[in-house]
Amino acid sequence: MAPIKSSTFLPSSLLDPPSELELPRSELTRLLALVSQHVCDINDAATTAAASTLDTVNWDPKSHVDAVELVRSLAKNEDRAPEEGVKSPEGFDDLLKFVCEKATAYGELSYGINHTGPGMQAFIPGGGLLQTGLADLVGNALNSYVGLWVGSPGMVQLETNVIKWFTNLIGYPTTGFGSFSSGGSTTNWSATVCARRRRFTEEEGFTRAVAYASDQAHMCVVRGCVAAGIPARNVRRVPTDRTTFRMQVEVLEAMIVDDIANGWAPFLVVANAGSTNTGAVDDLNAIAKVVKKHPEVWFHVDACYGGCFIMTDRGRELLRGIECSDSVSLDLHKSLFLPHGTGLLLVRDAEYLRYAFSDVNGEYLPRPEDTKEDDLMFPSFCDFSLELTRPVRGLRVWLPLKMHGLGTFRRYLDEKWDLARWAWKELASIALIERVTEPQISVLSFRWKGQGKGMDGKRRDAMTLRLMAHVNKGGKVFLANTRLPEWGVVVRICVLHYRTHLEHMKTTLEEIRSATEAVLREQV
């Protein structure tokens, strides 16, 4: 057959198309081997690299001279993207070395916080389990689209399976469902949208809407309300007791009754299942009973930190009542040890989540006439979140759970719980330390105990910060501080990294003992 003759002129870009982005198998294999080597080097260095290289009392960037110089060197001549890429076969390796040695917590020029090591006991650590990185590599190579069921039915079902694993763990009925997102800020916001849309119509508005959260609720709870159109002043902060920092449920009930009597419209109660400050777990069962008296109020549990401990016997008892909630937020990059960016919102009734996000559709999307798509058998994830396009987040959870099973993660979580209890008991032997909040799961706190002339609250706060600075300066452990009502500044220990074991907690206690002696010498 003779070739078809074109009646129009063809530009050179069609006759000689670019091919640089399509890597031959041999080159892809070489690049993957280089990546593998660098990742293994990072993994080997994780347990020996400094936990932190920052001044953890003064967070002003200008006080970190070396880090500022690094940042300036990275920013130099980088106003525009390069017109030409690397040419030599070694160029890719050089780029990887540049990232690993210059911009991260490894190599000779390492500044910042080492989030992959056992000394990371500040904030709520994210583990960075490498198995998840392998899942992400495969997911990115497949580039599956899960916004619509038809985009990748198999991958959508795989992610649906993972969601169902967690709805079953929480104790939700078969109507339960959920959606993955980047983390607690978005999942807590999504729960707020669900609550608002169930309670109010667009026509009536929600200027009289009020939500309730304890004075220990994460900042993202209030931010989520504001992003959902609820003024920050309409978020009632329920007081906590000053020993356990759990919500005072009787005060919550009185506040709801009082608000209703004064013409307000309660629509949301947010409880903690592991607060950031102290790891406090509210009495979820008691809160559920209060909310049950007000069917128009949505009961959400922020379990970003503590939720996965429900896998353990102790956790299931502590979290009793979570199964009565309307929704739960989980950060699997916390107590499931995965890399940052693995949030999961679970809801008791999938229809409320679908209603919150699926009433606007595009004519360009291939959709069945029945948007419910046979209930939850054929879900399109764009109907259950704000995102239309997103990564295949379920795969990064599916692979490590399939590789190791819940039993392995349960043993790790039980170990972290026991390590926190061990550290709490050991702190009692340090005379200059005052223990403040006992671990309800794996977070505990303490402060400087020193007494004597001039030891007022301001001076104790300063001494506590100095103590923490001495601990962190050694580079073996990284701790962070917070401020608690009626206690002032305290130092937190959060035992959650999968690499943290007894030997590392012994190091933590040794560093605290040494730091107290150093502070005492300075005081004298």
Side-chain angles (χ1 to χ4, degrees), residues 30-31 34 38 86-102:
R30 187 184 73 84
L31 297 181
L34 287 173
H38 281 286
V86 294
K87 299 297 184 182
S88 67
E90 298 79 19
F92 182 74
D93 192 24
D94 291 338
L95 293 176
L96 287 179
K97 288 179 180 178
F98 177 83
V99 171
C100 294
E101 295 181 4
K102 293 282 184 133

Side-chain angles (χ1 to χ4, degrees), residues 284-347:
L284 304 180
N285 210 36
I287 295 173
K289 291 177 181 177
V290 170
V291 175
K292 191 175 182 180
K293 300 175 184 178
H294 306 279
E296 72 281 3
V297 177
W298 184 280
F299 178 25
H300 175 66
V301 178
D302 181 354
C304 287
Y305 153 54
C308 286
F309 282 88
I310 201 168
M311 297 178 188
T312 70
D313 292 339
R314 287 175 289 186
R316 182 158 293 279
E317 179 61 27
L318 183 63
L319 299 173
R320 190 163 52 89
I322 196 171
E323 72 281 358
C324 300
S325 64
D326 293 297
S327 57
V328 174
S329 287
L330 299 173
D331 271 355
L332 306 184
H333 54 250
K334 291 186 172 78
S335 47
L336 207 66
F337 318 123
L338 305 186
H340 296 125
T342 319
L344 177 59
L345 174 66
L346 303 173
V347 293

Side-chain angles (χ1 to χ4, degrees), residues 176-424:
F177 200 57
S179 63
F180 281 97
S181 72
S182 61
S185 293
T186 52
T187 54
N188 284 329
W189 168 78
S190 296
T192 302
V193 173
C194 286
R196 194 205 73 196
R197 295 212 66 187
R198 186 186 72 163
R199 177 69 173 82
F200 307 103
T201 64
E202 299 297 328
E203 291 74 24
E204 67 179 314
F206 33 85
T207 57
R208 304 294 289 173
V210 288
Y212 306 84
S214 87
D215 58 25
Q216 295 298 299
H218 196 279
M219 58 178 283
C220 73
V221 171
V222 179
R223 291 176 66 177
C225 284
V226 172
I230 311 299
R233 63 179 178 274
N234 287 24
V235 182
R236 308 287 195 248
R237 305 311 294 267
V238 185
T240 56
D241 73 70
R242 295 310 184 229
T243 302
T244 65
F245 288 92
R246 291 172 175 154
M247 181 188 288
Q248 297 182 31
V249 181
E250 67 282 0
V251 178
L252 167 69
E253 185 166 23
M255 292 172 75
I256 293 175
V257 171
D258 185 65
D259 277 333
I260 293 174
N262 285 285
W264 292 96
F267 79 104
L268 171 66
V269 170
V270 180
N272 281 324
S275 66
T276 299
N277 261 352
T278 66
V281 178
D282 293 331
D283 188 338
L284 304 180
N285 210 36
I287 295 173
K289 291 177 181 177
V290 170
V291 175
K292 191 175 182 180
K293 300 175 184 178
H294 306 279
E296 72 281 3
V297 177
W298 184 280
F299 178 25
H300 175 66
V301 178
D302 181 354
C304 287
Y305 153 54
C308 286
F309 282 88
I310 201 168
M311 297 178 188
T312 70
D313 292 339
R314 287 175 289 186
R316 182 158 293 279
E317 179 61 27
L318 183 63
L319 299 173
R320 190 163 52 89
I322 196 171
E323 72 281 358
C324 300
S325 64
D326 293 297
S327 57
V328 174
S329 287
L330 299 173
D331 271 355
L332 306 184
H333 54 250
K334 291 186 172 78
S335 47
L336 207 66
F337 318 123
L338 305 186
H340 296 125
T342 319
L344 177 59
L345 174 66
L346 303 173
V347 293
R348 164 177 288 276
D349 189 336
E351 285 311 304
Y352 288 117
L353 184 57
R354 193 199 310 266
Y355 175 67
F357 294 106
S358 67
D359 60 343
V360 178
N361 193 26
E363 64 277 3
Y364 38 78
L365 297 178
R367 312 279 275 172
E369 292 184 8
D370 179 6
T371 56
K372 289 187 177 181
E373 299 182 0
D374 193 17
D375 294 327
L376 298 179
M377 277 299 296
F378 311 111
S380 289
F381 287 121
C382 70
D383 290 337
F384 297 92
S385 89
L386 186 65
E387 294 179 299
L388 184 59
T389 303
R390 64 166 178 80
V392 184
R393 294 192 178 101
L395 185 61
R396 60 176 14 217
V397 185
W398 179 89
L399 183 62
L401 282 176
K402 280 287 190 177
M403 285 179 67
H404 304 291
L406 283 179
T408 296
F409 288 92
R410 182 180 300 113
R411 288 189 291 276
Y412 271 80
L413 291 172
D414 270 324
E415 181 205 23
K416 308 314 164 193
W417 202 317
D418 291 336
L419 286 172
R421 297 299 311 171
W422 177 87
W424 175 255

Side-chain angles (χ1 to χ4, degrees), residues 25 62 483:
R25 184 184 181 94
K62 296 184 182 64
R483 179 177 291 275

